[in-house]
Amino acid sequence: MPITYFFEEPANENYFLPEKERKRFQIGGSHVVYVRLGGDFPDRALEPIHITLPPQQQQEVAFNHPGEEFYFILEGKVVTVVDGKEHEMSKGDTIHFPSTLDHTWYNHSDEPAQILCVLTPVIFKA
């Protein structure tokens, strides 16, 4: 038996995630609010997230990473910048791109934006 057996948490094969059990979180001083929407099971590949991008918020630095990203704008206005090209998005608009390209976003409106994001690989652990 490997030594890691004593330290690993048991696999949580929880496919259903009721709304009341979802946890909101923020990253390092950012005002953006994230909520994980997906189940938690070994080897999952998709990371579905609900994002609230507050008014007048901008991510200053473009970043990239392996995988893909898909955004569906539920409410509000967002500008996504992918590989240097700006895309003005509003309710109902979508964008899907390889996340190996430099990308960033901003909300220069006076209303919060609500976004459904699905990305790979899984970057946020439960």
Side-chain angles (χ1 to χ4, degrees):
M1 190 173 296
I3 188 83
T4 56
Y5 171 83
F6 298 103
F7 302 105
E8 291 177 353
E9 292 185 27
N12 174 9
E13 294 188 2
N14 191 7
Y15 307 125
F16 176 64
L17 184 59
E19 183 175 4
K20 66 183 178 185
E21 292 181 20
R22 294 182 196 145
K23 295 184 174 106
R24 300 165 43 110
F25 64 96
Q26 293 176 273
I27 299 172
S30 170
H31 295 288
V32 178
V33 176
Y34 300 89
V35 179
R36 284 195 57 245
L37 300 175
D40 192 21
F41 52 91
D43 300 323
R44 66 188 174 98
L46 299 176
E47 182 79 271
I49 302 171
H50 178 263
I51 301 169
T52 302
L53 185 57
Q56 305 300 322
Q57 293 296 306
Q58 181 165 344
Q59 185 174 319
E60 298 293 334
V61 178
F63 58 99
N64 62 61
H65 53 89
E68 300 177 47
E69 293 191 30
F70 170 85
Y71 300 146
F72 176 76
I73 308 305
L74 301 168
E75 294 291 333
K77 296 184 183 298
V78 176
V79 176
T80 59
V81 183
V82 178
D83 201 25
K85 184 175 181 187
E86 289 192 0
H87 305 274
E88 294 188 23
M89 303 177 66
S90 4
K91 183 178 180 176
D93 291 341
T94 63
I95 190 167
H96 182 196
F97 58 91
S99 47
T100 53
L101 300 173
D102 285 346
H103 55 284
T104 188
W105 59 5
Y106 56 89
N107 175 2
H108 285 172
S109 78
D110 293 326
E111 301 294 326
Q114 304 294 325
I115 306 161
L116 171 64
C117 172
V118 180
L119 59 97
T120 64
V122 172
I123 58 175
F124 301 117
K125 299 296 180 186

